[in-house]
Each structure stands twice: as structure tokens, then as C-alpha cells.
Amino acid sequence: MRHRRSPITWFKNQELARKLILINFFLIVIPLGILSYFAFSRFAAAMEHKVGDFQLQAIKGLTLNLDTYMEELDRLTLMPYQYEEIIRFLESDRRGEGDNPLSLEEIKALNNFVTQVFLNGRVDIMGVSLFGEKGASYVVLPESQYVTTYSLDENAEWLKRQQGGSGQSVFVATHEISSTSGATYQAFSIARELRSFDSGKKLGYIVIDVDPSVIRGILSQVSLGSREHIYIADWNNRLVAGKTDAEPAELAGALPSSGEMPSQGVSHAVVDGERQLVAYVTSPITNWTTVGIVPAKELMKDAEGIRQSILLFGAACVGIAMLASVFLAYRMTRPLRTLITLMRKVERGDLKVSFPVRHWDEIGRLGKAFNTMVSNLSQLGYLLYETEIREKDAQIAALQSKINPHFLYNTLGSISMYAEMDGNRDVVRMTNNLSRLLRYSLSSHKELVTLEEELEHVKGYMTIQQMRYEERLDFRLSVHESVRGCMVIPLMIQPIVENAINHGIDKGAGSGMIAVECERREQTLVITIEDDGIGLSDEQLQHLRKRLLFSKDTGGRSGNGLLNVHRRIVLHFGPAYGLRLESMPYRGLKAIIELPAIAAEGILKGEKHA
């Protein structure tokens, strides 16, 4: 199953020119897009705010005109107080209508009152109704004669609001009224509770029905747009009148709920899935709300045109910038493509190529380094050929040199045999130990040996030295059983023991004691070689320590093997390990070797997994 590469991996594997083009694309398009988006958003929001303020001011002026008209209607509801006959009629007890008909004077007074109301209200008034507290009623409906048999509807909403109010007029939303002929008409009404000036007792109510077309006429004076909706809703969001004969019923939901709505403001609503800008003003006189609704898209037509211009201009700029980016990317990476072609020729063995260096930028330096590399490869090819020839010569010489160690082993064997025949045991022991020393030194090609093998070599060496120095040498060996199988570098301890004999014991100081101690401290193998010879002065010790720390040579004659041992340990195990020296004048020298405690099994496992 093929694994899908991540976009980052895909990008990393692209050519440098394509990477530059993609980077430039994102550096141009993303910032420009974000900048354009926020700039247009701020511009659109500011423009919408200004349009909303204009729309609100228009609705305020419209509401002011409506309030002026409604105040005139409200003054008509006070006219009964100017006619004593009307007050007496309202105070009369008409609950038994058949026994107390209207007199001619009352009919004349009522007709005169209604005529005055119609005259003062112009042609807008459709009906006038008077209701007394004791059952009196006088109702004039459109295209009808007066009616005195109407009784007040106790469940009327406006009546409940009047009873809970303070005697102010109540404006009733558009509703249907029926004439005596059965015809129905749309009208809105204004009702007022009438009270006696003398006693304050409630006399009754006056209700004036008004044609809503007058409101539509006032609303038609304002235009908010080709798709505008202007209407008036009552306190319960019911439609009173609209600019047209019928406004959609769903517009009533465009206003906030009455509990959250301030007296005026601008808000947004979604009607028929389209975002609308809603401006509203609530009249303090009628408690009705004048609402103007215009689709936000229509208001923002100019902004949409600006946005299209910005998009076209931005697309043109991006296109030009990307063309320039493509041209520059391929122009700048052309020397790299040339260099890649030359490298492929070098891979095929053609070393006679050369990169033309014309500029000293990074690519020019890279080309110069390539030319130097090709020149060095040519020289290395010759040197490799010469080295192979010399290596073959060395192999032949090595085969020839193997004759010498075998000759020495045979000679030492003969000496040991003659000494055995003469009964000289010391010579036999010395020649046998010397033969093992030579065999360990010349025949071992192992990188690591066990500590046990290295110590056997040291013991053979010390046996020969003890025979040479007789009673002057006191060799002590202390080895913890857990470290005998640890792996060490061959010929590591013997050079330090030899250094103790040559530079410590031979100087005549001390009793000739040389002690070797091997132990394990956590994961470190610690080997301590200590003598009681002449030791080192502080100056000599510091000089030798500095050479151990900084010198890269391997000792030779001047280092007495110490630098050689230290350098081999550092190269093999790292700078955390090596040789440390401690000494005082005439107190001997202590050499401490630190190695990682690696068992033979660990080495075998490491070689197996390598």
C-alpha cells in the first residue's frame, strides 16, 4: 500500500525554482487577500453604518409627521367635553333602551357633534362611536345611519388597556369594521376614556375609526430603495398599515422582541433568507413603531462594485507579480541547473568539466568549490592508483617479513632446549616468557582483548624484570573477579609498568614497589598502576598533564609510552576516558586508566548486530 506524502514532504522534494514560486505566491496572495478582506469589511461596515443612520433619520422624520397627524386625531377625542349635551347623553341611564329612546334634541345634538368631528377630521374619519357608562351608545359607521343599539364589547383589547391606563388615548391597530349593510372596511381606531370634570367619575368612551390610507399616504412620502418595506406595527408587532396595501406578514418578525427593543435603532434581520437592514422608531404618542426595511445587498450595491474593482485589480497585480516571480526564479536557478548537469557528468567519470564562474555570489562560490573538487578528484584518482601499487608492495614485504618472527621464535626455542639440558631453570623461564611476550606483541591483530589476557602479558614481562633486578622489584597485582572478562586495548598496561621501572625505580628512589589494581566503579573499569619511585615535581606533572590533554602525538621517546596509551584510549572510547596522573616529589607516580566496563559478551553482541 502506497503511503500518501504529506504536503511538507512534497514541498521539500520540489525543485528550488518551484519552491521560490510557491513561496512568492503565498507571500503575495495570502497577505494581499487578508488585507483586502479586512479593508473591504471595514469599509462595508462603515458604509452600512452610515446608510443605517440615514435610514433611521428618514424614519424619524416619518414618525414625526405621523405623530403630528395622530395628535390632531387625539384632540378630536376631547371634543365631547365642549358639548354639554354629549356629556348629559353619556351620563344618562340607557340600560332599558326600549323605555328611554333618544329625544329629537339628543339626536340633533349627537348628529351635530358627529358632523363637527367629521369636519375637523377632514375626510379621513370613517366612524365615530360614543359609549356611556350606563348603557348609552351612539355609533356612526361608514355608509350607515346612526345606531343606538350597539353595546360595548367588554373583551375589547383597547378597553382593557384603557382600564389599566391613566385616561390617555389608546390607538388600536388596523382591524375590520362592518356597516349596517354588511360591508366590511379596514380602519384603525383611537379610543379615549371620558371622565367628569366635576366628580372625576367615568362617563364612557369615544372611539374614532380612521381610514388607514391616510397613513399610507404619509408613508409614501419617504423612499428608502426600490425593494423597500415601510410599515407601522403596534406594541404587539401587529401590522397597522404599510406603504403598500399589503405588506408581507413575515416582516413583523424583523423587529426585536418588545422586551429587548429600545425606542429607536438600527438592527439586522433575515427575511425570506435574505439579510435586511431594519431601522425603527417607536412613537411616544401612539406606542406604534415605524419600521423601514431594505435588503442589505441593495444598500451595498456601490460597495459591491468597489469590491469587484478591488478583486479585479488585485487579481491583475497577483498575475503580474507571479509572472515576474516565475521569470526571476528560473533565471536565478539556471546556474544551479547547469551545476547539476556538470555533477552528473562527474558521476559518470568525466573529470574534464568546469563550471563557468561569472559572479561571486553564493552560486559563484559553489561553482568555484565544484571546480576545486573536480581538480582534487583528478589528483586523488592518481594518488589512489599510486597507493594501490604501494599497498601491493607492502603486502609482498609483509609476507617476506614473517620469516623474521618465526626465526626468533625458533631461536628462543633452541636456547630454552639447551638450557633445559644443562639444568639452568632461570634461563628456561626467561626465554619462555620472552617468547610469549614476542608472540603477544607481534602476532596479535585484535582490536580488543580481555583484561585477563593483558594481565598475563604484564605478569610475563614482570617475571623477566624480576629476574633481571632480582630482589629490587616488588610486583603486586590485585584484580576483582568481576572485571577479568572486561575488554581492554592490548599493550596498554605494560608500557606504563615499563615507564615506572625506567623513570622511577632506576633513579634509585623507593623500595622498588610496583602495584597494579583493577576494579569496577559503576560502569567504568579503573586500572591503577602505582610505584614508590622518584615521582614528579609540580612543574613536571602539570607539563605532562597538559600534553595528555592537548597533544595529538603518540609519545615516542619523549613520552615514555604514556601519551601513546592515552591517545589510543581517547581515539577508541572517546574523550570521557583515558589516562590520569597523580604524583608528588619522592612519593612515586600513580597512573589511573579509565575505560568503559564492557564485558566480552557485550562485544560479541555488538559485533553480531553491527
Side-chain angles (χ1 to χ4, degrees), residues 15 17-18 21 325-334 337:
E15 295 179 356
R18 293 182 181 177
I21 293 170
S325 175
V326 171
F327 173 77
L328 292 175
Y330 279 97
R331 182 66 180 269
M332 292 175 63
T333 57
R334 184 168 60 184
R337 293 193 295 275

Side-chain angles (χ1 to χ4, degrees), residues 229-270:
H229 294 284
I230 303 177
Y231 67 94
I232 298 175
D234 68 357
W235 61 276
N236 203 22
N237 271 355
R238 291 175 300 193
L239 191 64
V240 175
K243 186 174 181 179
T244 59
D245 292 338
E247 293 290 344
E250 59 269 15
L251 292 180
L255 285 175
S257 61
S258 58
E260 302 173 354
M261 186 176 66
S263 61
Q264 63 182 33
V266 179
S267 64
H268 296 86
V270 178

Side-chain angles (χ1 to χ4, degrees), residues 492-535:
M492 179 182 67
I493 302 176
Q494 182 265 329
I496 300 177
V497 173
E498 182 180 356
N499 184 81
I501 294 173
N502 295 337
H503 296 279
I505 306 302
D506 281 349
K507 299 295 178 67
S511 61
M513 187 275 295
I514 296 176
V516 178
E517 182 181 4
C518 305
E519 60 179 340
R520 180 172 181 165
R521 299 175 186 172
E522 295 182 355
Q523 300 299 319
T524 303
L525 172 63
V526 181
I527 303 172
T528 305
I529 300 99
E530 185 176 6
D531 65 68
D532 62 350
I534 193 171

Side-chain angles (χ1 to χ4, degrees), residues 138-147 180:
Y138 184 83
V139 178
V140 177
L141 299 174
E143 299 180 1
S144 302
Q145 296 295 325
Y146 67 88
V147 181
T180 54

Side-chain angles (χ1 to χ4, degrees), residues 106-123:
E106 288 176 327
I107 293 174
K108 182 179 178 181
L110 290 169
N111 286 335
N112 182 48
F113 170 75
V114 171
T115 301
Q116 291 300 319
V117 170
F118 277 99
L119 289 175
N120 289 326
R122 297 166 299 183
V123 296

Side-chain angles (χ1 to χ4, degrees), residues 51 261 332 376 407 436 445 478 523:
V51 171
M261 186 176 66
M332 292 175 63
N376 292 337
F407 174 74
R436 283 194 294 269
H445 298 290
S478 174
Q523 300 299 319

